[in-house]
Amino acid sequence: MKRDRHLFTSESVSEGHPDKVCDQVSDAVLDAVLEQDPFGRVACETLVTTGTVAVAGEITTTAHIDIPDIVRNTVKSIGYTDARFGFDYKTCGVLTMVQKQSPDIAMGVDTGGAGDQGMMFGYAVRETEEFMPLPIMLAHKLLLELTRLRKENVLKYLRPDSKSQVTIEYADGVPRKVDTIVISTQHASNVTQTRIFNDVKRYLVRKIVPKKYLTKHTRLLVNPTGRFEVGGPHGDSGVTGRKIIVDTYGGVGAHGGGAFSGKDPTKVDRSASYFARYVAKNVVAADLAYKCELQVAYAIGVAEPVSLMVNTFGTGKLPDEKLVKIIQRVFDFKPYSIINQLDLRRPIFQKTAAYGHFGREHEGFMWEETNKVAALKREAKKV
């Protein structure tokens, strides 16, 4: 029988990418509010361009926060510390345009309902130890290592803005080998592309990518245009919430369309997406399926979901409709219950805003726990 072979590609972007700068600023504002007021309502949007950061949105809170100070500290922590980069924390202008949350929205949320309508998805697969798709996990890990090399001055020519892309060849639904790796990294003007290529191969690819996936045919493309000196907000504008596929599963599975960063946990765009990941991961960890996608949908102001769907793509040990019933017995999908179960009133969100919200098992993110495996197995035995 002929094997099903296909290529699948995912990308990641570093914390210095303009869109990711915005995500981190928005979540830094959220964290600052939650640190003083765990019940604060935040919907914060950020825009960056050459020399300017603009922060807008709706914030209702008893907290007293200094948004310009938060912006500058965030930009500094990312690594924009030198005016020669075209953007830096000391000289950038900061505009703030913030108002209170609409009372029409608050009326529904105050009673425990969802902060908006919409559908959210969660996904898990037994391809990696993190129960994540291999392409996006490798893309994230390559950039995490690149960032470490930059911040620890191992490669002093590196600058904060970078991107990665990983193409995996699958055979019968299982990852077999890395076909192509693309790394684009901002750099100083006094370094050759040959040096960058050799360093990426030595310090990134050989360290991060498991040998079993590398072949003599694996392609490595580094700064394919031949130069990447102008980057960050000086090279391109950025906006909060524009990297939703980078934030989730790298294009595997579906996405409801809602961004995460800058939103407090009453916004189900964020909290219910985290919970859907939590559920899907526990289903796979319980060995009830090789992969699992879950959709949940809400109406604004209503606590109970309007729908719940599971798709195991033919890999489930039980029919999908039976898995739905098992999940409903084990998990409570009401927004206020999700917030409590995942402990989402903590100021933990800035560190979610780069290198993916999922698959990070040592960051204290409750949605990555697999503490419902035993309960799922017990319920599955009753079917």
Side-chain angles (χ1 to χ4, degrees), residues 1 3 68 71 88 122 142 153 180 182 203 241 250 271 343 363 383:
M1 181 182 294
R3 306 185 76 183
V71 168
D88 73 285
L142 286 165
N153 282 320
T180 306
V182 183
Y203 288 103
S271 55
D343 198 10
E363 300 278 6
V383 176

Side-chain angles (χ1 to χ4, degrees), residues 149-374:
L149 294 170
R150 171 175 62 87
K151 289 188 170 182
E152 295 182 5
N153 282 320
V154 177
L155 301 178
K156 296 182 179 181
Y157 59 80
L158 293 175
R159 299 292 181 260
D161 193 0
S162 57
K163 303 177 75 171
S164 65
Q165 189 169 281
V166 177
T167 301
I168 299 292
E169 181 182 294
Y170 284 78
D172 297 330
V174 177
R176 296 299 183 188
K177 65 180 181 179
V178 174
D179 182 84
T180 306
I181 298 170
V182 183
I183 300 290
S184 295
T185 181
Q186 187 185 8
H187 57 84
S189 60
N190 61 350
V191 63
T192 66
Q193 291 302 318
T194 300
R195 165 82 187 278
I196 299 173
F197 180 92
N198 290 335
D199 285 345
V200 165
K201 187 174 183 179
R202 174 187 174 189
Y203 288 103
L204 263 66
V205 176
R206 290 177 180 170
K207 178 176 180 180
I208 299 302
V209 182
K211 290 182 179 179
K212 66 179 181 179
Y213 293 123
L214 294 174
T215 74
K216 63 181 180 180
H217 301 295
T218 298
R219 291 188 299 167
L220 174 61
L221 304 175
V222 179
N223 288 355
T225 68
R227 187 176 64 190
F228 187 3
E229 294 178 28
V230 179
H234 183 50
D236 194 7
S237 61
V239 180
T240 299
R242 204 155 58 177
K243 287 292 178 284
I244 59 176
I245 300 303
V246 171
D247 285 345
T248 52
Y249 309 102
V252 176
H255 195 295
F260 301 156
S261 290
K263 298 177 181 178
D264 74 77
T266 67
K267 279 74 171 175
V268 284
D269 274 345
R270 180 169 221 160
S271 55
S273 293
Y274 288 176
F275 199 68
R277 159 65 177 173
Y278 176 55
V279 175
K281 184 173 182 179
N282 274 269
V283 167
V284 174
D287 201 29
L288 297 179
Y290 176 77
K291 55 184 169 181
C292 176
E293 178 182 273
L294 183 140
Q295 185 207 57
V296 59
Y298 293 87
I300 188 168
V302 179
E304 292 288 350
V306 298
S307 71
L308 183 66
M309 183 275 295
V310 169
N311 184 0
T312 60
F313 306 92
T315 70
K317 300 292 180 66
L318 298 168
D320 290 347
E321 58 270 23
K322 290 187 177 180
L323 273 177
V324 169
K325 293 178 180 178
I326 291 170
I327 287 168
Q328 288 174 320
R329 290 198 290 268
V330 174
F331 297 95
D332 185 348
F333 284 83
K334 292 187 286 294
Y336 61 84
S337 178
I338 290 174
I339 291 170
N340 291 334
Q341 290 177 77
L342 300 184
D343 198 10
L344 295 179
R345 297 201 184 277
R346 298 173 293 152
I348 59 170
F349 296 105
Q350 185 180 352
K351 62 183 178 180
T352 69
Y355 312 111
H357 293 245
F358 306 126
R360 297 167 63 183
E361 298 181 325
H362 306 294
E363 300 278 6
F365 302 153
M366 296 296 292
W367 54 91
E368 291 299 322
E369 298 289 330
T370 52
N371 51 9
K372 295 294 185 180
V373 167

